[in-house]
Amino acid sequence: MTTSFEKEMIPSNPERVDICLVCDGMGFVRLTNDFDDSRFGQSYPCSCTIAARNEKTGKQLLKQSGLGSLRRLNFENLISHGRTQDARNRDQYELATTEAKKYASNPSKWLTIVGEHGSGKTHLAAAIANASLALGRPTLFFSIPDLMEHFRRESIGRDLSESEAVTVSRIFDIPLLLIDDCHSKINTTWAQEKFNQLLNHRWNAQLPTVFTAPALDAAINSQLNIRLSDSESSDILDLGIWEVSNYSSLGAMSEQVLKQYTFDTFLSDGIGLSPQQSSELIGLESRLREWSIEPDGWIVLTGNHGVGKTHLASAIANVRLSQGDRVAFATVPDLLDHLRASYNQESRDSYDQVFRRLLEVQLLILDDLGAHKSSDWAEEKIYQLINHRHLARSWTVITMNGKPSELEPRLASRLTFTELSEVYRIDAQDFRTLRPEN
């Protein structure tokens, strides 16, 4: 007695090299060819069919995961000991990475990945998600703003793509959910209630959930903080200290150059201004001094070249740096050039690392918005950055030569949103072409 499996090891058409050697492209194999066997006529899927189904399922899971460009972040391209030079911190980071791998293979309980901005929390969380998906486990990955946006779009009945609709409907019961940056503010009562419903459901159902945060402190939803601190039902992976300068820049504004531009070195009464213009400039400087001490929302400075917009923005940055905040200064044309270059696999910083840094930094200075050559790609990248910080209400200072109304409508609406932004126009002459009289 022989089985069809044994007979079909050699394809009937030797010129076809793309067909399965087992089933000759039929997709199934018979259990037996013995007429007297009670199983005669029965068949089962060939290994090629099972592999094809698994591949299709994997692609569907990946498409619906919410990972987007983070799909390429995995344990293989993660620096397992982090970027710190301290031996103790390196050991702590490596231990966290090892525990994350174990969790990805068999998720249980809740898990919180704690670490400073830029320490690799998002990479580690994305690596868990990608490893989970590779095992065929349905997995979803969201930042808080993106999660709230999904809920909002569903609530208003906006048409969603097939993948988005599936994601929204399955989010409460997905076998593994990862929520990035749970420090992000949730600004409406409705959104907070929706988030609490999600937490309650997954906690009561004991569904594995991963969170990332700089620390477990008062900035996190109090209900969530209590649960993340429950050692019986939730584990914490601490990535330790990542010693790096609080300041980063894309463009010519190095930290050394930035230090030259303070409120004390700003000519607050201007040069060659009318009494009214001088008074307005003095008033603006006073307001920006106040804002720099107690930041809240956004500052948008408009005006011609050389009127002091960048100087004032830099002065704000220096105040926040003196308070220990992380600050990024990005000249928009240079930012877009850097993001394009970061697609290069040999780039020191990946696209995701560069962009995530700007999304998460406590204070972002976007200089010369509107000076970039417009393209669909450029507009989309700037919109993603501004929209994320808009939803999170992250401190942002923007300078531009034109008017916000001249920008792409989605950008203009966010820059002029009165509940978040203060927009000021500086009417003055070019400081760089004038000199004060002796």
Side-chain angles (χ1 to χ4, degrees), residues 78-216:
L78 173 71
I79 303 175
S80 61
H81 50 69
R83 298 180 178 179
T84 176
Q85 298 303 311
D86 181 83
R88 184 173 59 180
N89 286 346
R90 289 166 73 94
D91 290 344
Q92 182 174 344
Y93 199 104
E94 194 155 12
L95 176 61
T97 301
T98 301
E99 292 302 315
K101 289 180 179 178
K102 293 179 182 177
Y103 185 91
S105 64
N106 184 27
S108 62
K109 306 171 91 176
W110 281 16
L111 179 70
T112 309
I113 303 173
V114 176
E116 295 183 350
H117 291 289
S119 59
K121 302 185 300 298
T122 298
H123 191 143
L124 195 58
I128 291 174
N130 282 306
S132 175
L133 288 166
L135 294 173
R137 182 183 301 111
T139 302
L140 292 177
F141 185 103
F142 288 104
S143 65
I144 288 288
D146 290 340
L147 181 61
M148 293 303 102
E149 179 68 5
H150 271 70
F151 286 143
R152 185 190 69 82
R153 292 171 71 184
E154 183 187 36
S155 70
I156 63 177
R158 178 173 174 177
D159 291 337
L160 301 173
S161 68
E162 181 181 352
S163 62
E164 287 177 325
V166 171
T167 294
V168 171
S169 65
R170 297 174 62 192
I171 192 169
F172 273 64
D173 292 302
I174 198 76
L176 178 61
L177 174 66
L178 298 97
I179 300 179
D180 192 30
D181 195 11
C182 61
H183 255 63
S184 295
K185 294 181 181 178
I186 300 177
N187 298 308
T188 68
T189 302
W190 174 87
Q192 188 63 67
E193 290 178 353
K194 194 73 175 178
F195 186 58
N196 287 340
Q197 289 175 13
L198 173 65
L199 296 178
N200 290 335
H201 179 86
R202 296 191 66 82
W203 181 264
N204 293 332
Q206 297 183 329
L207 292 170
T209 309
V210 177
F211 302 86
T212 74
L216 296 184

Side-chain angles (χ1 to χ4, degrees), residues 203 216 220-231 234:
W203 181 264
L216 296 184
I220 296 180
N221 173 296
S222 58
Q223 184 183 74
L224 176 59
N225 206 343
I226 292 173
R227 289 173 172 173
L228 297 183
S229 302
D230 182 350
S231 59
S234 183

Side-chain angles (χ1 to χ4, degrees), residues 48-65:
C48 69
T49 299
I50 295 173
R53 289 176 181 173
N54 290 340
E55 182 180 4
K56 182 178 180 180
T57 300
K59 288 181 179 179
Q60 290 175 337
L61 290 174
L62 191 58
K63 182 179 179 181
Q64 298 168 6
S65 67

